[in-house]
Amino acid sequence: EKDGYASFMLKEIAEQPRAVADTLLGRVAEDGTLRLDEARVRPEVLREARKVVVVACGTAFHAGLIAKYAIEHWARVPCEVELASEFRYRDPILDHRTLVVAISQSGETMDTLMALRHAREQGAHVLAICNTNGSTIPRESDAVLYTHAGPEVAVASTKAFLTQLVACYLVALYLGQARGSTDGAEIRAAVRELARVPDALERTLATMEPVRDLARDLADKRTVLFLGRHVGYPVALEGALKLKELAYMHAEGFAAGELKHGPIALVEPGLPVVVVVPSPSGHRLLHDKIVSNIQEIRARGARTVVVAEEGDESVVPYADHLVRVPAVPPLLQPLVATVPLQVFACALATGRGNDVDQPRNLAKSVTVE
Ligand code: M6R
């Protein structure tokens, strides 16, 4: 079943272009408008929601963090993102004008299920984003948008994450369409860009050899830090989570803007720091700020691994290792920038002799609290 791959994880990483394409399939009409009627979100909920609350765990939570940027941008609705395990024990302020989005690959994660029950009891409308047909979370939700990643066997989530991102972008655009906060031309442009992502992913996957070499090189390190800004911040968190769960290494993701507020004290000679650089064509100031962050950590001896868009020459002098990803619109960058971090964690774990499909102490779906 591994189709010649050494692990399910490698197979699932390679399947990402198809998974993304399948998740887009049938969801855009000929005229470029979004057709998510299958999800069955009531039109008045789309139009009148005063707030969106995303609940999820682990990697799905990172997808939710990225959803916030897209929802604020396209739908212009306030959006909160919550760890399901925290949300359910708080006293959140919800009502019938709250749209709760529960993201789960398996559809069986207990904390996410409890969070959505908690939300429904208070009258909120729940939309599930889920990869498993007929599982508990979609069954208990008011509406569901399925991701079409196909079965994900490896414990570490890869292709499901990318398809969760696609679903989140679609929901943000759908809300923008229903509320009139994004015009048709912008929706069509965004959808066209999404349709190009599978190709961009193929290109990314074809250039991963240096990432594997680098991982072998770093296999005996104790700590790796990850930095990002804007949508690159959750990507940094995801890169760190992958490394923890697969390589059993200490890894942490930070918002690069927080460096000076503490984390820079961790930097010492030889420490590998992976930096996800935002597109220079997006928010220029943000891009330039992260380039100066790279300079700062390098001046303190960090070994910089820089993930940057093709053609971004400004990072070249400060990158000990440069990983290129194709240029995509700034909000969509996580779709391509996550891939090298998955490959990195997988190769590093393999180099340490770990079983990447069944990491120690972990289960594919966490059905206990
Ligand atoms: O099935 P779910 O998406 O609800 O699972 C959530 C997390 O348990 C899951 O993403 C976990 O963090 C993965 N092992 C990450 O690779």
Side-chain angles (χ1 to χ4, degrees):
E1 307 157 48
K2 291 184 201 158
D3 294 343
Y5 289 94
S7 61
F8 279 106
M9 185 175 179
L10 282 175
K11 174 174 178 256
E12 289 161 7
I13 288 174
E15 284 170 349
Q16 293 185 113
R18 165 109 329 258
V20 164
D22 286 351
T23 301
L24 288 168
L25 208 69
R27 287 168 170 170
V28 183
E30 292 269 300
D31 63 359
T33 53
L34 286 169
R35 285 288 154 79
L36 300 187
D37 310 357
E38 49 161 320
R40 295 180 187 280
V41 190
R42 289 205 307 271
E44 68 273 19
V45 173
L46 294 171
R47 278 195 312 267
E48 290 160 24
R50 270 197 280 242
K51 169 164 94 167
V52 177
V53 180
V54 183
V55 293
C57 303
T59 288
F61 172 71
H62 297 154
L65 291 176
I66 293 165
K68 178 182 170 84
Y69 293 84
I71 289 171
E72 283 179 355
H73 181 74
W74 283 314
R76 305 298 303 143
V77 197
C79 177
E80 296 165 12
V81 190
E82 303 263 3
L83 287 167
S85 55
E86 289 296 319
F87 174 85
R88 55 177 293 212
Y89 292 109
R90 291 211 334 270
D91 209 355
I93 296 137
L94 312 168
D95 60 21
H96 68 286
R97 290 183 68 176
T98 310
L99 174 63
V100 170
V101 179
I103 309 176
S104 174
Q105 187 287 130
S106 61
E108 302 295 346
T109 299
M110 184 57 77
D111 281 317
T112 310
L113 177 63
M114 293 310 220
L116 83 83
R117 284 186 185 159
H118 191 47
R120 288 195 78 201
E121 276 161 19
Q122 289 167 72
H125 192 90
V126 178
L127 165 66
I129 291 179
C130 185
N131 195 46
T132 313
N133 263 311
S135 54
T136 313
I137 288 172
R139 270 195 283 116
E140 293 207 15
S141 298
D142 299 285
V144 54
L145 184 64
Y146 281 107
T147 49
H148 296 308
E152 192 180 63
V153 177
V155 165
S157 188
T158 54
K159 61 176 181 171
F161 176 64
L162 259 57
T163 61
Q164 284 162 354
L165 290 180
V166 170
C168 289
Y169 293 130
L170 291 176
V171 167
L173 288 163
Y174 192 50
L175 279 164
Q177 178 174 287
R179 301 167 79 88
S181 50
T182 304
D183 67 25
E186 191 176 347
I187 292 172
R188 282 193 296 279
V191 163
R192 261 199 311 277
E193 293 292 352
L194 278 169
R196 291 198 185 114
V197 167
D199 268 355
L201 285 169
E202 292 288 5
R203 278 188 285 132
T204 311
L205 288 166
T207 57
M208 287 296 100
E209 205 41 51
V211 175
R212 283 186 279 270
D213 292 343
L214 173 66
R216 273 187 286 272
D217 233 36
L218 299 179
D220 61 347
K221 293 283 181 189
R222 292 169 58 90
T223 294
V224 179
L225 302 185
F226 292 78
L227 299 178
R229 282 191 93 121
H230 195 256
V231 287
Y233 167 43
V235 173
L237 296 178
E238 175 61 7
L241 177 62
K242 284 285 151 295
L243 208 55
K244 283 175 212 166
E245 63 179 340
L246 296 168
Y248 319 146
M249 268 169 104
H250 173 240
E252 267 192 85
F254 297 107
E258 279 292 289
L259 259 185
K260 287 193 183 62
H261 301 284
I264 199 163
L266 291 170
V267 177
E268 56 186 19
L271 177 80
V273 185
V274 180
V275 188
V276 182
V277 179
S279 161
S281 67
H283 203 313
R284 183 76 214 193
L285 199 62
L286 204 65
H287 169 273
D288 295 352
K289 287 208 160 134
I290 214 163
V291 175
S292 53
N293 289 146
I294 302 172
Q295 287 173 256
E296 282 156 7
I297 54 170
R298 200 156 182 267
R300 288 162 179 81
R303 188 161 162 191
T304 58
V305 181
V306 176
V307 179
E309 187 175 292
E310 279 160 5
D312 179 359
E313 296 307 318
S314 62
V315 292
V316 175
Y318 316 112
D320 294 309
H321 307 274
L322 187 55
V323 180
R324 290 297 192 186
V325 289
V328 296
L331 269 176
L332 305 189
Q333 200 200 33
L335 288 167
V336 290
T338 304
V339 175
L341 307 191
Q342 298 167 339
V343 171
F344 180 67
C346 187
L348 212 147
T350 308
R352 292 181 146 211
N354 298 353
D355 178 345
V356 292
D357 287 339
Q358 294 285 339
R360 68 184 184 197
N361 308 339
L362 295 174
K364 180 66 183 161
S365 85
V366 183
T367 53
V368 291
E369 298 176 44

